[in-house]
Amino acid sequence: MRINCPCCGERSLEEFTYLGDARKTRPAGDAAADVWVDYVYLRENPGGRHSEFWYHGSGCQSWLVVERDMTTHAIFGVKFARDAAIAAVVHTS
Amino acid sequence: MAKSPQSGTDRYSIFTVLREALRGHTGWRPAWREATPKPRYDVIIVGGGGHGLATAYYLARRHGITNVAVVEKGWLGSGNIGRNTTIIRSNYMLPGNEPFYEHSMKLWEGLEQDINYNAMVSQRGIINLCHSDAQRDAYARRGNAMRLHGVDSVLLDAAGVKLHLPMLDFTNARFPIVGGLMQPRAGTVRHDAVAWGYARAADRLGVDIIQNCEVTGIRREAGRVVGLETARGFIGANRVGLACAGHSSRVAEMADLRLPIESHALQAFVTEGIKPFIDTVVTFGAGHFYISQSDKGGLVFGGDIDGYNSYAQRGNLPTVEDVCEGGMALMPQIGRLRLLRSWGGIMDMSMDGSPIIDRTPVDGLFLNAGWCYGGFKATPASGDCFAHLIATGQPHKVATAFRLDRFASGRVIDEKGMGAQPNLH
């Protein structure tokens, strides 16, 4: 598997660190307990497309959002996490 | 009304082997029937792997529930029961875990006689190596916790390790071997034979094993399970047990459940066969590497999961390199060997690294999942405890901690102390 970093170009997997589901948003500190349980513990864990955080630690040190197929490992898109977050805010506002 | 698993001519023994030798092996029956689904069962188990087949066997054997089907989307034993590194051990520390895994070890010790099948259970021991004083302290604590639960453990110093494992590299300056924790009763089991043996024993008690029968829906009425939609039509049952390992989230989703589980790929490897080299199981404590030698002579080894969500039964090269580096740090002479095969399985990585054997919010739907990469050793106890839960509605006494709601209540069982990061367990 190779990830096409928007800054560094296509790079091998060992340069990256995985964090997990990028669609989870951190609840407010005073949110209800079940909202926090959902955020910390529950996962969609889809068999197909999955939007996820990767950190390019051995490259540009950017946080990325990678759209990837869980079964085939095909990668559909890579963008900076910052841009993805801004897009999400624009989309919901 | 459970019958004996095998009666009369069908029982494997030296006498049947001799008899069949004399009559040209014409008397053997298939180990299990090709069952056609009945319209309805008392219990359906989803997943024809080790845990599912063991559950069906113990339902019939211990609880007399024989109107049971095991439905499997592929072929019997096509998942992790045939993809692991065959290690059995009960060297856990936490109170929620240790009695369960020791129960499993005791079942392994009597398994072959119980199911009348040679699973090649070999109690050749395990040695977990430690490479620093802090790690030795942690192993001393673990060994003490094991002994408090009545489990065997021996703390070895470097000389003690050398006595058992003279082939290790004791000159490694970065990761010196300062000792190890040994569990003499641990060992290995022929993994496929576990699936085949449980399948045969369950079949003889009347359990229907239905292969190539993918579940496509969980039919519910008023919040209760009434049956399963499958590739071979609707099958009715008031009690359904899920034992789907890496695909647990996918099947649970059919009942609108979200689980505290991520699916990750774990790779394992076997080398070409060589003469006897390692007579125990060894784990490298400074990386993640575990190795034993199969009876055919191949070195069977593995390491960490690939570290990102995956449903592909294969992994990537950086992990292959990482695992082999661990092996080379421990025993450099294996660098001369060629890898014969590598393979991958999909692990149901739970959020605290421990399993779930519990009811679900859907009446009649039971869940057995979250085995991470420790499911093989748990197979007999998992089946026994899951069967107990399905038959009686109450958790087995050694599996009371494996609750689905422990993540919400804060009673997580985090043996490794990693927190809710499945790729780090």
Side-chain angles (χ1 to χ4, degrees):
Chain A
M1 212 162 80
R2 291 163 76 85
I3 294 174
N4 195 3
C5 174
C7 177
C8 312
E10 196 174 88
R11 306 294 300 169
S12 183
L13 193 63
E14 61 257 53
E15 295 187 3
F16 299 86
T17 309
Y18 180 79
L19 181 63
D21 195 338
R23 282 169 302 184
K24 290 265 172 196
T25 46
R26 192 180 175 84
D30 57 356
D34 58 336
V35 176
W36 273 101
V37 169
D38 186 303
Y39 172 70
V40 177
Y41 293 115
L42 300 185
R43 296 289 182 269
E44 293 295 333
N45 197 18
R49 283 193 178 216
H50 189 233
S51 185
E52 56 199 20
F53 286 122
W54 287 81
Y55 175 62
H56 197 183
S58 302
C60 59
Q61 304 191 358
S62 302
W63 278 98
L64 307 172
V65 172
V66 177
E67 184 92 4
R68 190 172 60 93
D69 188 295
M70 294 298 97
T71 305
T72 64
H73 293 178
I75 291 175
F76 306 107
V78 184
K79 51 189 165 194
F80 290 119
R82 187 180 50 234
D83 296 345
I86 292 167
V89 169
V90 171
H91 182 71
T92 51
S93 60
Chain B
M1 36 178 261
K3 298 160 285 185
S4 168
Q6 288 87 36
S7 52
T9 58
D10 197 35
R11 199 179 155 76
Y12 291 161
S13 71
I14 183 69
F15 302 108
T16 40
V17 169
L18 288 173
R19 185 195 69 204
E20 292 305 322
L22 292 173
R23 65 180 190 184
H25 296 285
T26 53
W28 298 117
R29 278 209 285 149
W32 56 85
R33 296 162 289 129
E34 284 285 339
T36 316
K38 291 192 276 190
R40 143 150 235 104
Y41 290 92
D42 292 339
V43 179
I44 304 177
I45 304 297
V46 183
H51 291 220
L53 293 165
T55 304
Y57 170 69
Y58 290 114
L59 274 173
R61 183 82 170 132
R62 292 221 207 284
H63 304 281
I65 302 173
T66 55
N67 186 24
V68 175
V70 178
V71 294
E72 162 58 44
K73 76 170 176 173
W75 68 92
L76 186 151
S78 53
N80 299 338
I81 188 73
R83 293 168 182 272
N84 54 74
T85 44
T86 78
I87 299 166
I88 60 167
R89 57 185 173 86
S90 57
N91 53 359
Y92 283 71
M93 187 171 75
L94 298 180
N97 275 334
E98 182 59 0
F100 172 83
Y101 287 102
E102 177 55 16
H103 181 57
S104 206
M105 183 59 72
K106 291 206 171 89
L107 289 172
W108 284 119
E109 287 172 332
L111 181 75
E112 293 164 308
Q113 290 69 34
D114 188 28
I115 63 174
N116 180 229
Y117 204 94
N118 180 10
M120 297 162 69
V121 176
S122 164
Q123 291 182 287
R124 59 184 67 183
I126 187 168
I127 297 177
N128 303 122
L129 299 172
C130 51
H131 307 268
S132 66
D133 290 346
Q135 201 171 21
R136 182 170 47 201
D137 289 348
Y139 280 165
R141 182 183 174 213
R142 176 178 298 266
N144 289 340
M146 288 164 64
R147 280 198 298 281
L148 284 172
H149 283 106
V151 180
D152 58 323
S153 75
V154 182
L155 192 65
L156 302 171
D157 58 10
V161 171
K162 201 164 192 171
L163 210 59
H164 289 279
L165 300 163
M167 82 293 282
L168 299 183
D169 180 5
F170 287 86
T171 62
N172 188 324
R174 177 67 184 84
F175 303 117
I177 296 168
V178 300
L181 183 64
M182 177 166 72
Q183 187 189 11
R185 284 163 63 242
T188 60
V189 178
R190 169 85 171 94
H191 54 355
D192 292 318
V194 177
W196 301 332
Y198 272 124
R200 175 171 174 272
D203 174 274
R204 296 297 186 267
L205 291 171
V207 171
D208 280 357
I209 296 163
I210 305 162
Q211 303 179 73
N212 300 308
C213 184
E214 182 168 1
V215 172
T216 54
I218 298 174
R219 197 185 286 182
R220 288 157 290 159
E221 281 170 16
R224 257 214 78 81
V225 165
V226 293
L228 297 174
E229 315 285 351
T230 77
R232 296 175 69 174
F234 175 77
I235 311 174
N238 287 334
R239 283 178 286 180
V240 171
L242 306 182
C244 312
H247 283 74
S248 296
S249 298
R250 305 272 50 75
V251 182
E253 190 185 30
M254 296 173 193
D256 301 318
L257 299 176
R258 271 192 314 149
L259 303 180
I261 285 174
E262 289 182 6
S263 296
H264 287 255
L266 176 68
Q267 304 189 66
F269 311 85
V270 64
T271 70
E272 58 192 325
I274 55 170
K275 287 183 177 178
F277 176 56
I278 307 174
D279 64 356
T280 182
V281 181
V282 191
T283 73
F284 181 41
H288 199 172
F289 177 83
Y290 35 91
I291 189 166
S292 66
Q293 187 168 18
S294 80
D295 290 355
K296 276 196 289 189
L299 301 184
V300 182
F301 61 92
D304 267 325
I305 52 175
D306 270 39
Y308 46 87
N309 289 41
S310 173
Y311 281 93
Q313 283 180 318
R314 60 190 159 74
N316 266 295
L317 285 171
T319 304
V320 178
E321 197 175 12
D322 182 61
V323 172
C324 292
E325 280 171 354
M328 290 297 287
L330 188 62
M331 39 179 83
Q333 61 272 60
I334 65 170
R336 302 284 296 275
L337 293 175
R338 270 167 272 187
L339 277 185
L340 200 62
R341 288 191 303 277
S342 71
W343 60 93
I346 302 307
M347 308 296 115
D348 34 338
M349 301 300 295
S350 70
M351 288 291 163
D352 61 356
S354 295
I356 298 156
I357 303 178
D358 201 0
R359 288 181 286 259
T360 69
V362 179
D363 270 353
L365 185 67
F366 300 86
L367 179 69
N368 175 327
W371 292 99
C372 302
Y373 43 79
F376 178 69
K377 74 179 89 68
T379 304
S382 166
D384 191 20
C385 294
F386 201 34
H388 188 277
L389 175 70
I390 293 170
T392 67
Q394 297 300 319
H396 190 286
K397 66 175 194 271
V398 299
T400 52
F402 300 152
R403 295 171 64 109
L404 180 57
D405 67 1
R406 70 174 183 267
F407 302 94
S409 66
R411 293 182 175 86
V412 291
I413 315 163
D414 195 345
E415 187 86 25
K416 214 170 164 187
M418 285 298 186
Q421 286 293 328
N423 60 329
L424 301 181
H425 280 297

